[in-house]
Amino acid sequence: MIFQKLYSNFGKKSEITMKTTTISIPICIKDEAELTVQETQLLNEAKRATYRSYSPYSHFSVGAAVELDDGTLVSGSNQENAAYPSGLCAERTTVFYANSRYPDVAVRRICIAARDTNGQFCRRPIPPCGACRQVLLETEQRAGHNIEVLLYGTEGTYCLRSVKDLMPLTFDSSYL
Ligand code: THU
């Protein structure tokens, strides 16, 4: 795509032409009733995991659950620490545990849920932080197939077909 833009160069406005590209991400938004049996089971695991969160500092309780290729479900929650950066998000806690416990079984799907400081499940779908996205990306590469991502919110669950959809323009080992 090529478009014209007014460009300010040291206060002097000039018209330049630049190439642009647009990345669009397909997201399916499902009500709880629209989730499949497997998705509902995974969501329930992620919700349950929020109650095992150790979050005395943020009071924000996050749960994640992964389904492996053989159907095994693994869940985890965010674990905080008085030395704040030493804590870990629910997604990485869960994926690292799944990969260390079942190194030969790939992750097929991940679901994330969170409860806010009032203890209520978040209205908006809970998105993973940048560091978790990077880890999920490598988990997907390691799996050798796409990992479906479910981001739960009481107003709807965002369903993405791949971690790559969460994180376009990614850096990965193919650049090395
Ligand atoms: N947190 C997660 O566990 N996952 C996310 O996707 C976002 C944030 C945690 C980290 C910290 O314990 C708390 O939520 C507040 O940031």
Side-chain angles (χ1 to χ4, degrees):
M1 189 197 293
I2 293 182
F3 81 121
Q4 304 271 302
K5 188 173 186 280
L6 270 182
Y7 179 72
S8 174
N9 188 4
F10 297 111
K12 186 171 155 241
K13 291 214 165 125
S14 60
E15 194 132 301
I16 61 155
T17 301
M18 59 172 74
K19 275 188 192 169
T20 66
T21 184
T22 302
I23 299 171
S24 57
I25 300 167
I27 302 176
C28 182
I29 307 172
K30 292 191 188 179
D31 290 333
E32 282 190 55
E34 293 173 305
L35 296 173
T36 65
V37 173
Q38 285 94 340
E39 288 171 342
T40 303
Q41 215 182 348
L42 200 63
L43 172 58
N44 288 338
E45 286 295 321
K47 281 179 170 177
R48 267 197 285 272
T50 66
Y51 294 96
R52 300 192 297 267
S53 157
Y54 177 67
S55 42
Y57 305 103
S58 72
H59 303 287
F60 191 72
S61 308
V62 187
V66 295
E67 181 188 324
L68 307 184
D69 273 347
D70 66 359
T72 303
L73 302 186
V74 174
S75 62
S77 55
N78 56 329
Q79 300 294 312
E80 298 186 349
N81 191 278
Y84 292 174
S86 304
L88 199 62
C89 294
E91 296 88 326
R92 274 176 290 164
T93 303
T94 306
V95 162
F96 284 152
Y97 176 70
N99 286 336
S100 52
R101 177 73 177 80
Y102 306 100
D104 301 323
V105 193
V107 174
R108 161 91 262 146
R109 193 177 278 124
I110 180 165
C111 180
I112 305 154
R115 287 183 301 111
D116 62 22
T117 50
N118 295 317
Q120 303 301 312
F121 280 106
C122 295
R123 200 170 40 81
R124 292 184 295 160
I126 171 78
C129 77
C132 287
R133 289 175 198 219
Q134 186 71 29
V135 167
L136 289 171
L137 185 74
E138 190 148 333
T139 305
E140 184 167 83
Q141 281 169 343
R142 189 170 165 177
H145 57 60
N146 68 305
I147 294 176
E148 289 171 27
V149 181
L150 306 178
L151 310 178
Y152 176 68
T154 56
E155 285 188 346
T157 298
Y158 279 6
C159 305
L160 294 91
R161 60 191 174 179
S162 163
V163 174
K164 285 200 193 103
D165 291 338
L166 268 179
M167 196 172 173
L169 301 180
T170 47
F171 176 77
D172 60 38
S173 57
S174 68
Y175 287 92
L176 297 176

